[in-house]
Amino acid sequence: GQNIDQPTEMTATEGAIVQINCTYQTSGFNGLFWYQQHAGEAPTFLSYNVLDGLEEKGRFSSFLSRSKGYSYLLLKELQMKDSASYLCAVRGVGIFGTGTRLKVLA
Amino acid sequence: ETGVTQTPRHLVMGMTNKKSLKCEQHLGHNAMYWYKQSAKKPLELMFVYNFKEQTENNSVPSRFSPECHNSSHLFLHLHTLQPEDSALYLCASSQEALRSGNTIYFGEGSWLTVV
């Protein structure tokens, strides 16, 4: 079967660092995407990993370990506007996790 | 502005109605998709079109009927829907269908309520 797991909700404080984990079991693997989705809006692309290691993009970084079927999204210097759902997706299309709803508190 | 435009943004329809959702992309992409997003469920891929041809139908009930005129325009025709079909329907596009590394650009979605 194919499965992607993410925590349902996380809460963090403004200015802090938060790590959102994603584990996957899929029949194929062509890469892993992270998307951000604010309530009532469409998902927007954040990052893409196809090789093991850490990809850094400003305040956001994404890590992948293919042997462990594991990825995480790291958000630094959290801001209130980072409150959103974060979706992990394997193969880019068609297989998404349920998303992690992140609340950033003042 | 993502380059993918969906209309209408909100739609309420009865179970016997016929309505359509429209999607247009201005990104020069060759692939377009319909997704369904229900509360507390993963995003579900419904249909994939590549160069106007349907390449994937993920066991979607026939009461949902897609139509693609060209690589830039995609429709989802709705007929005799059920209340459980109420959801956010997202259109998306990418340079090519189901290719590794292609970023998917989503429209803002059409909120559908079936009464």
Side-chain angles (χ1 to χ4, degrees):
Chain A
Q2 312 210 81
N3 196 46
I4 297 182
D5 285 315
Q6 300 179 237
T8 306
E9 277 193 9
M10 298 183 73
T11 303
T13 307
E14 199 173 14
I17 298 174
V18 72
Q19 177 175 311
I20 301 174
N21 296 325
C22 170
T23 56
Y24 62 89
Q25 290 176 304
T26 56
S27 57
F29 183 82
N30 286 334
L32 188 138
F33 288 74
W34 283 96
Y35 288 85
Q36 180 191 60
Q37 186 176 24
H38 285 100
E41 297 181 14
T44 54
F45 170 78
L46 285 179
S47 69
Y48 171 68
N49 294 66
V50 65
L51 300 176
D52 291 350
L54 189 68
E55 296 276 344
E56 296 189 70
K57 261 189 184 183
R59 293 189 300 115
F60 292 7
S61 303
S62 56
F63 171 83
L64 176 66
S65 168
R66 288 171 296 171
S67 62
K68 295 181 180 176
Y70 168 68
S71 174
Y72 67 72
L73 181 69
L74 192 71
L75 292 79
K76 302 176 188 174
E77 301 169 17
L78 279 175
Q79 301 174 10
M80 300 297 287
K81 66 178 182 180
D82 297 329
S83 294
S85 285
Y86 291 86
L87 306 172
C88 164
V90 173
R91 289 166 60 193
V93 181
I95 306 177
F96 283 76
T98 53
T100 299
R101 196 160 43 248
L102 174 67
K103 294 181 188 176
V104 179
L105 305 176
Chain B
E1 178 60 50
T2 65
V4 181
T5 305
Q6 288 186 241
T7 54
R9 294 295 314 280
H10 298 271
L11 177 64
V12 179
M13 61 185 287
M15 289 189 283
T16 57
N17 290 161
K18 285 185 184 181
K19 297 284 184 184
S20 297
L21 305 180
K22 179 182 174 183
C23 177
E24 184 176 356
Q25 59 98 357
H26 312 277
L27 301 168
H29 289 162
N30 297 311
M32 295 186 76
Y33 315 85
W34 281 114
Y35 286 86
K36 177 182 178 182
Q37 189 170 38
S38 305
K40 299 183 180 178
K41 286 187 178 179
L43 208 58
E44 300 170 55
L45 178 65
M46 298 174 74
F47 302 103
V48 180
Y49 277 82
N50 202 30
F51 293 93
K52 297 192 306 178
E53 300 299 320
Q54 187 181 123
T55 57
E56 192 160 330
N57 175 340
N58 279 342
S59 304
V60 181
S62 59
R63 57 186 185 270
F64 294 92
S65 172
E67 181 182 2
C68 188
H69 290 175
N70 51 52
S71 293
S72 300
H73 295 85
L74 185 64
F75 294 85
L76 187 63
H77 302 302
L78 316 169
H79 178 47
T80 58
L81 295 191
Q82 304 298 311
E84 59 264 29
D85 296 322
S86 299
L88 176 67
Y89 289 85
L90 289 163
C91 175
S93 72
S94 66
Q95 189 58 47
E96 293 182 50
L98 299 173
R99 286 289 300 272
S100 173
N102 272 194
T103 301
I104 312 300
Y105 294 86
F106 288 88
E108 295 190 353
S110 295
W111 289 95
L112 173 67
T113 303
V114 181
V115 297

